[in-house]
Amino acid sequence: MSAPIIELEHITKSFDGQMILDDLNLTVHENEFITLLGPSGCGKTTTLRIIGGFEHPDQGRVLFEGKDITELPPNKRNLNTVFQRYALFSHLSIAENIAFGLKVSKKSKAYIDDKIKYALKLVNLDGFEHRTVDSLSGGQQQRIAIARAIVNEPKVLLLDEPLGALDLKLRQDMQYELIRLKNELGITFIYVTHDQEEALTMSDTVVVMNQGYIQQMGTPENIYNEPENAFVADFIGDSNIIGGIMLQDELVQILGVKFPCVDSGFGRNKPVDVVIRPEDVILGEPGAGRLDGEVSHLIFKGLLYEMEVMAGGFEWLVQSTKCFPVGTPVSISVDPYNIQIMNKPESEDEEAIGVQE
Amino acid sequence: MFRNKKTRYTMILSGPYLLWIIGGTLIPLIMMFYYGLTTADGGFTLSNVFAIAEAGHAKALGQALLYSAVSTVVCFVLAFPLAVILKNSKLGTKGFVVFVFILPMWMNFLLRTMAWQVLLEKGGVINGVLTWMGLPRMRLINTPGAIIMGMVYDFLPFMIMPLYNVMSKIDNNVVEAARDLGASGWQVIYKVLLPLSVPGIVSGVTMVFVPALTTFVISNMLGGGKIFLIGNVIEHEFTVGDNWHLGAGLSLVMMVFILISMAFIAKFDKNGEGNLL
């Protein structure tokens, strides 16, 4: 991995006596697309604002390329922000909006004009120079906000839920746009969102946050396939989280039935949380699997059917391309490598969601 | 007479307002035009209007324009930083601060001006303090400074309110975006806050400038009858001079300035953001 560009060291921040971030440590590398993901109030936006210089941490340091920038105001930092609600200057034309940062840093007119053209082309809005802010749609305004930020050639671009206000189709288009931009510009993106799909689609690294703590950090595949705790498993995609007992290495007991798995090192007879993704649950003829049950709900979701199966006293969420009508007796089985074993939460902070026993 | 019940109902409800407009605005306006455009024996003339060009009248108008312009600028210089400070403060007491500045407005206008008379007089409070400190007395009352002081004191709330209104509506994200793009604190003020508060500025300027331009009470009380503004001239013609025709003619000239101000508001304050009324 390339060199670190931003390091947060022991960041603590509280508002009105309420702890938002508690001893947060995070390293962002050059040219990385890193996403801070979590529910509202988890501290992700505060983290971004501390990097941008809009909030001052109560404790801890912010390093930029190894230098301490904790005390630098936002205008002295070599990074730019794309705000959630665009925050364009309504008294300026589109060209003047994009030129704002360049004019402040006293660039030549020829340079500014070149940059405006280049930036508008980059965000696919050529010819919009003389339009007013009000005449643009939400998606277009967001592109201008991005153009306005990147003309300053920041080393790091901060994006605070930039697609939050757009409709679904536009959001999906913009996700591809952002990935393309990131690759063309070759700079670091720090992205904040509560949308797990957005995070998985675009990021090199996903940082899952909850209640001021980093719950897990890794590649999208890593986060999805090997959630470290029940919060991550539940927040990233749908999952069945079941209390179980690790009988011995590679053997777990769920709902009174033994399931072979691939995890080891938990010790003998240790209570654990077991995560099984709905698409990994295999339905078959009664008696053919490990548990027998009956389909209790069925929803057609386009790509696949989503079913709830009552088996062993637990309502399993199951996704399958095959349809099993409500009332069908079925059996449930899971491949060993699709069973993810997690330690029970040790602190209350991790226990953000109740795990069904 | 009425087509249906609903129209009649509407007519009855709007009746008082119609009477008010007719009695309070329309008839006085017609009277003003009548007197302003006629001679004492009833013949048509424009001389009452053109009388503004006479040396004494032109001087009074010039002085009124100068004094009201100066006090408008002073009001703006006092009110704009206050609005910026209140916008940036995270206090929950913003409303209270504004209230304190607006408070004098609830007191009678004449009383407030009279209070300044007492303060500025030769044997007044300020000179009393100066004497007590062993300093020589100063001539405060009956000076242009006293009149401008009075105008600023009386009309400052009309500048603060629209400025505070428009400033508090500016999205904080926009300020942060400017900071993020490299603007210093000052650059944020003159590149973002100032242009975005233009509607409020235009409202405030108009609401201070127009009443200051036409006032005669402030210049009477604090100018000691020595400084004649156009308002004093008009008042003089109606009362002492007993020449309603000339007074009305000069008033028509003042109306031109008011109409220009209204046109300015309409142009810059399209969304009614800075509007207090």
Side-chain angles (χ1 to χ4, degrees):
Chain A
M1 190 151 256
S2 46
I5 187 156
I6 284 182
E7 292 156 89
L8 301 180
E9 292 181 344
H10 307 292
I11 297 286
T12 302
K13 177 79 187 171
S14 56
F15 291 112
D16 302 327
Q18 204 195 341
M19 188 69 87
I20 303 296
L21 297 173
D22 192 3
D23 195 29
L24 182 104
N25 291 283
L26 177 66
T27 302
V28 181
H29 297 89
E30 257 173 38
N31 208 4
E32 192 176 13
F33 195 132
I34 188 166
T35 300
L36 308 180
L37 173 67
S40 57
C42 73
K44 56 191 193 298
T45 297
T46 305
T47 307
L48 196 77
R49 289 174 61 81
I50 285 173
I51 299 172
F54 302 112
E55 302 288 353
H56 190 270
D58 298 339
Q59 281 167 40
R61 300 197 303 163
V62 183
L63 302 185
F64 184 90
E65 294 181 322
K67 282 193 289 276
D68 189 342
I69 59 162
T70 319
E71 303 303 324
L72 279 188
N75 52 325
K76 297 267 197 311
R77 299 187 179 197
N78 194 2
L79 33 84
N80 287 110
T81 309
V82 176
F83 292 87
Q84 186 171 10
R85 278 173 292 123
Y86 328 136
L88 296 179
F89 306 119
S90 56
H91 61 293
L92 301 176
S93 72
I94 295 307
E96 288 166 328
N97 261 282
I98 297 173
F100 191 94
L102 300 172
K103 277 187 186 155
V104 166
S105 58
K106 306 234 176 341
K107 296 278 191 296
S108 76
K109 185 162 184 322
Y111 178 84
I112 292 176
D113 288 346
D114 270 4
K115 273 286 183 186
I116 293 171
K117 277 225 170 65
Y118 160 77
L120 283 173
K121 209 179 197 82
L122 204 61
V123 296
N124 289 328
L125 288 175
D126 319 56
F128 273 61
E129 282 91 340
H130 303 295
R131 296 278 290 270
T132 61
V133 172
D134 292 340
S135 70
L136 265 56
S137 69
Q140 290 169 333
Q141 289 194 27
Q142 192 53 276
R143 284 158 194 251
I144 297 302
I146 294 168
R148 182 179 69 173
I150 59 180
V151 286
N152 304 293
E153 299 178 350
K155 290 198 172 161
V156 178
L157 191 65
L158 310 178
L159 302 106
D160 184 9
E161 305 212 22
L163 311 184
L166 307 180
D167 60 52
L168 181 66
K169 188 77 185 71
L170 201 55
R171 210 154 65 218
Q172 287 167 341
D173 291 346
M174 281 299 285
Q175 288 176 15
Y176 289 106
E177 288 274 309
L178 283 171
I179 298 168
R180 178 182 63 82
L181 269 175
K182 157 84 181 49
N183 293 335
E184 279 182 34
L185 294 166
I187 60 174
T188 308
F189 275 34
I190 304 180
Y191 192 97
V192 160
T193 184
H194 62 265
D195 184 325
Q196 46 104 2
E197 187 219 316
E198 237 171 70
L200 295 179
T201 312
M202 296 190 290
S203 321
D204 301 320
T205 307
V206 178
V207 180
V208 184
M209 293 180 71
N210 190 38
Q211 306 198 344
Y213 294 94
I214 293 178
Q215 303 287 331
Q216 188 175 355
M217 184 167 164
T219 63
E221 290 91 339
N222 179 257
I223 297 272
Y224 188 85
N225 291 329
E226 285 151 48
E228 275 172 16
N229 60 39
F231 173 80
V232 176
D234 189 64
F235 195 74
I236 309 287
D238 300 316
S239 44
N240 297 290
I241 305 174
I242 314 162
I245 297 165
M246 200 68 185
L247 296 173
Q248 60 186 67
D249 283 355
E250 303 185 3
L251 187 65
V252 65
Q253 179 177 306
I254 320 166
L255 306 169
V257 180
K258 287 171 189 160
F259 281 78
C261 60
V262 294
D263 295 81
S264 55
F266 285 84
R268 284 178 167 269
N269 298 321
K270 174 111 195 292
V272 290
D273 284 333
V274 181
V275 174
I276 300 165
R277 295 287 180 191
E279 66 270 26
D280 293 333
V281 179
I282 303 163
L283 297 181
E285 294 287 319
R290 299 205 161 254
L291 267 169
D292 282 343
E294 194 181 285
V295 178
S296 56
H297 285 99
L298 171 70
I299 302 168
F300 176 57
K301 286 218 152 181
L303 189 64
L304 36 73
Y305 295 92
E306 192 169 282
M307 286 155 281
E308 279 170 18
V309 175
M310 200 65 198
F314 181 80
E315 194 142 77
W316 295 70
L317 188 68
V318 182
Q319 290 172 344
S320 169
T321 48
K322 277 183 244 146
C323 174
F324 294 83
V326 173
T328 314
V330 289
S331 70
I332 279 178
S333 52
V334 186
D335 286 333
Y337 50 84
N338 283 331
I339 295 177
Q340 173 70 19
I341 310 288
M342 304 177 304
N343 278 310
K344 286 267 187 199
E346 278 158 20
S347 73
E348 279 187 12
D349 295 304
E350 285 178 51
E351 193 146 39
I353 55 145
V355 174
Q356 286 171 278
E357 295 289 338
Chain B
M1 187 177 161
F2 298 114
R3 252 178 298 143
N4 55 44
K5 259 191 174 169
K6 208 179 165 199
T7 358
R8 190 187 311 173
Y9 195 60
T10 315
M11 279 298 280
I12 290 168
L13 275 185
S14 59
Y17 302 103
L18 277 176
L19 280 179
W20 184 265
I21 291 170
I22 292 168
T25 310
L26 225 54
I27 294 177
L29 258 182
I30 292 170
M31 296 290 280
M32 231 179 83
F33 273 97
Y34 170 74
Y35 278 106
L37 299 175
T38 53
T39 57
D41 41 10
F44 175 81
T45 177
L46 283 173
S47 61
N48 294 324
V49 176
F50 288 136
I52 194 70
E54 281 170 27
H57 298 160
K59 192 184 166 220
L61 178 63
Q63 270 191 329
L65 283 170
L66 178 71
Y67 288 18
S68 50
V70 169
S71 43
T72 306
V73 169
V74 173
C75 281
F76 176 76
V77 168
L78 291 175
F80 187 79
L82 178 74
V84 173
I85 291 165
L86 286 177
K87 176 173 184 57
N88 291 338
S89 74
K90 284 176 182 165
L91 296 171
T93 51
K94 273 185 216 181
F96 179 72
V97 175
V98 175
F99 173 73
V100 167
F101 275 90
I102 304 288
L103 195 62
M105 213 172 76
W106 310 123
M107 239 175 307
N108 185 286
F109 174 78
L110 284 177
L111 223 64
R112 273 182 286 156
T113 314
M114 223 180 272
W116 276 104
Q117 225 174 2
V118 176
L119 285 173
L120 299 174
E121 263 169 357
K122 218 173 169 190
V125 178
I126 293 179
N127 273 323
V129 173
L130 286 176
T131 318
W132 180 75
M133 288 167 73
L135 295 167
R137 283 187 180 185
M138 284 167 73
R139 188 170 163 255
L140 298 168
I141 201 146
N142 305 345
T143 58
I147 294 177
I148 288 170
M149 179 73 236
M151 285 176 170
V152 169
Y153 184 75
D154 283 338
F155 302 129
L156 184 61
F158 296 99
M159 184 69 89
I160 289 177
M161 276 174 69
L163 278 185
Y164 171 72
N165 253 346
V166 78
M167 196 75 81
S168 57
K169 277 183 201 152
I170 296 175
D171 185 357
N172 258 328
N173 267 338
V174 172
V175 175
E176 286 186 348
R179 294 284 285 168
D180 185 74
L181 293 166
S184 65
W186 287 112
Q187 282 170 322
V188 169
I189 289 173
Y190 75 78
K191 276 175 177 282
V192 178
L193 291 182
L194 192 67
L196 282 178
S197 48
V198 162
I201 294 172
V202 171
S203 267
V205 164
T206 314
M207 281 194 285
V208 172
F209 183 74
V210 171
L213 183 65
T214 51
T215 186
F216 59 88
V217 173
I218 296 174
S219 42
N220 257 353
M221 291 176 119
L222 302 177
K226 285 179 190 153
I227 298 166
F228 253 50
L229 303 185
I230 190 70
N232 298 95
V233 173
I234 295 172
E235 187 230 356
H236 186 86
E237 292 304 332
F238 274 102
T239 54
V240 186
D242 208 18
N243 187 350
W244 287 30
H245 299 274
L246 183 57
L250 295 175
S251 300
L252 288 178
V253 178
M254 300 313 294
M255 269 182 61
V256 173
F257 286 96
I258 295 166
L259 288 176
I260 291 172
S261 305
M262 302 300 261
F264 258 107
I265 293 193
K267 186 171 186 308
F268 285 103
D269 192 8
K270 289 185 186 98
N271 306 323
E273 277 171 39
N275 212 332
L276 176 72
L277 305 172

